[in-house]
Amino acid sequence: MRLNERRMLGFVISVGIGFVIGAHAQTLTWLGVLANDSWSYATGVSDDGTIVSGVSVEDITNPNAFRRAFRWVQGTGLQSLERSDGWTFAQSVSGDGNIIVGGVTFSGPAARAIYWNGLTENIISGLDGDFTMAYDASRDGSVIVGVSTNSDGYARGVKWNNGDVQELNTLGGNESGAYGVSASGTVVVGWAQRLGNINHAVKWTESGIEDSGITGFAMRASGDGSVVVGVGETSTSRYAFRWTDGGVQNLGTLGGDNSFAYDVSGSGNTIVGHAERADGSGSAFRWTASGGMEDLNQSYSYLLGSGSYLIEARGISQDGRFIVGMGHNAATGRIEAFLLDTVCVGHNGDVDSNGCVDDADLLAVLFVFGQSGQNLGRVDINCDETVDDADLLLVLFNFGSGC
C-alpha cells in the first residue's frame, strides 16, 4: 500500500472512530414494577430521557387491583408516589422533568388532581367538584390541564396556571375535557360536546375554542400547538389522527381496524401510539411525516430479543429521541413500562455483540451494503444512516479484536 493510501485509510478510520466515541447508545430499558406488583406502564418522559412517569399495578388479573403512580429516575430506578387512602395515577411529566401530574382516586367517583414536584405531593385546588384529574403539563410545569366536575356535576376541561383556574368551554353541549397542552402552555387540547352530546376533538387557544370537525378526542399537542394528535371515531372503528391548519389526517393502521395516537414530538413530525395488525394483534407504532407508520417491534427487533414485544407507545420526548410505553418483557414474564432510546449506537465493528469482531460481523455488513435508513441497527457501525465503506473499514480495522 502506498503512503498516500495508508494516510487516507488512517483518516477514514480515525474519523469513524471519532464519531463512534461521540455517539449515544440505542437502548431499550425495561423499568420493572414497584415491590409486590405484577405489571406497569409508562405515560410520559422528560426531554432528556432521565425521568419517566407511570403506574404500577398489584395484580394484572384483577381490574380492581391497587395502583400506584411512580417516578423512574435514571441511575436510581422506580420511586413510588403512592398514598394509603386511594389509587394514584401519574399521567404525564413536564419536559424539564420536575413536575409529574395525575391524581388520586378514592372509593366511589371521587378523585383529586395532584402534581408531584420531585417526590413532594401537592393537591391542585380551585374547583369544588367531586372529581378532578390532571393529564398534562407545559414544559416548565407552570401550566397544568385536566378535567374537573363543576357545580352542576358536569365534567369540564380545566387549565391551572400558577394558581389561576380557567374552566374551558364546550361546543354547545354540557361537558369537555383537557388531555394535553403545548410546551409553552398556550394551546390546550382535548374534547368538547356539541349539542346532542357528540364529542369532538378540539383545541383551546387565546382566540377561543377550535373544532376539528371529527368525532373523537385530542390527546397531545406539538411544542407550539400547531399539530394536534389523538383518536377519531367512526361507527365501526377508531383511528389515529394528526390535525393541523390544513385539516385532519387519518394516520392509518398496521393492517388492522384500529389505531390510537397518544403523543407527538415538539416539531409535530413524529407521533407514537398503538395500532392493530392484519391478524388482530397490536403493536406500538411510530409515525413520521417522511416515512408514515412503522411497527416498532420490527424496527427494533434487534433490541427486543426473543419473546419480548412492545404493546403501545404512550409518550415521546420533544426531540423525538425517547419513547416510553408498555410491553412484554420476556426476561421477567411481565407486562412492564419501557424506555426506548432511538439514537443509533456506534461501536467497533462487533455487529452481533458477541465480543469478537470476526467473519460473521464482516458478512453482516456486506449483506446489507449500500442500504440507508434510520433503523439499520448495529450494521450501521458509525451511525451515519448508510452502510458503506466507512462501516466496512471499521470492521476490517478491528478484525480479530476480542476473539
Side-chain angles (χ1 to χ4, degrees), residues 33-55:
V33 300
L34 291 172
N36 302 317
D37 287 349
S38 67
W39 69 290
S40 65
Y41 59 93
T43 57
V45 59
S46 61
D47 291 347
D48 62 5
T50 61
I51 307 290
V52 176
S53 61
V55 178

Side-chain angles (χ1 to χ4, degrees), residues 1-14:
M1 183 180 292
R2 293 192 300 270
L3 178 61
N4 287 342
E5 291 175 338
R6 288 199 299 269
R7 286 175 176 171
M8 181 58 68
L9 178 59
F11 173 74
V12 172
I13 291 174
S14 66

Side-chain angles (χ1 to χ4, degrees), residues 61-348:
T61 65
N62 181 5
N64 296 314
F66 195 70
R67 297 164 186 254
R68 296 180 285 173
F70 69 73
R71 174 179 182 256
W72 178 89
V73 181
Q74 186 180 65
T76 301
L78 294 180
Q79 298 174 325
S80 178
L81 302 174
E82 66 186 288
R83 288 173 56 123
S84 61
D85 57 348
W87 298 355
T88 52
F89 295 85
Q91 307 285 7
S92 184
V93 58
S94 60
D96 62 13
N98 292 327
I99 301 296
I100 289 177
V101 299
V104 54
T105 61
F106 309 102
S107 59
R112 285 289 177 267
I114 292 174
Y115 74 89
W116 292 270
N117 189 345
L119 298 177
T120 302
E121 176 190 298
N122 302 271
I123 297 291
I124 302 175
S125 60
L127 291 174
D128 299 324
D130 292 333
F131 183 96
T132 60
M133 180 68 69
Y135 288 103
D136 198 17
S138 60
R139 188 188 184 283
D140 64 2
S142 63
V143 177
I144 297 172
V145 299
V147 175
S148 176
T149 51
N150 61 18
S151 57
D152 295 322
Y154 294 117
R156 284 295 181 92
V158 180
K159 178 181 180 181
W160 293 277
N161 186 0
N162 289 319
D164 178 56
V165 183
Q166 178 184 356
E167 186 177 298
L168 303 173
N169 57 333
T170 72
L171 294 170
N174 292 319
E175 297 190 315
S176 62
Y179 289 159
V181 61
S182 62
S184 62
T186 57
V187 177
V188 180
V189 302
W191 58 274
Q193 282 185 348
R194 299 174 61 86
L195 291 175
N197 295 332
I198 299 173
N199 296 335
H200 273 204
V202 299
K203 65 179 178 180
W204 293 269
T205 68
E206 294 178 354
S207 301
I209 189 171
E210 295 184 27
D211 186 356
S212 67
I214 65 168
T215 302
F217 47 93
M219 293 294 295
R220 292 289 189 265
S222 62
D224 62 2
S226 62
V227 178
V228 178
V229 302
V231 182
E233 300 176 345
T234 71
S235 59
T236 59
S237 64
R238 292 182 174 184
Y239 61 92
F241 71 78
R242 182 176 186 261
W243 172 25
T244 67
D245 287 342
V248 176
Q249 177 183 4
N250 183 332
L251 302 185
T253 70
L254 293 170
D257 295 328
N258 300 286
S259 60
F260 307 81
Y262 291 125
D263 203 3
V264 59
S265 64
S267 67
N269 291 327
T270 305
I271 299 166
V272 296
H274 170 85
E276 292 180 357
R277 304 186 183 102
D279 63 3
S281 63
S283 173
F285 78 76
R286 175 176 57 192
W287 180 96
T288 60
S290 59
M293 185 177 289
E294 62 177 311
D295 187 331
L296 290 180
N297 286 287
Q298 294 180 3
S299 298
Y300 297 100
S301 60
Y302 51 91
L303 293 178
L304 286 163
S306 176
S308 295
Y309 52 89
L310 307 180
I311 299 171
E312 63 180 19
R314 295 296 299 267
I316 188 170
S317 59
Q318 282 288 294
D319 63 1
R321 172 178 171 177
F322 299 100
I323 298 173
V324 298
M326 177 178 71
H328 179 261
N329 181 0
T332 62
R334 294 188 300 233
I335 302 297
E336 290 183 19
F338 71 82
L339 168 65
L340 174 64
D341 183 347
T342 65
V343 170
C344 178
V345 57
H347 58 88
N348 70 342

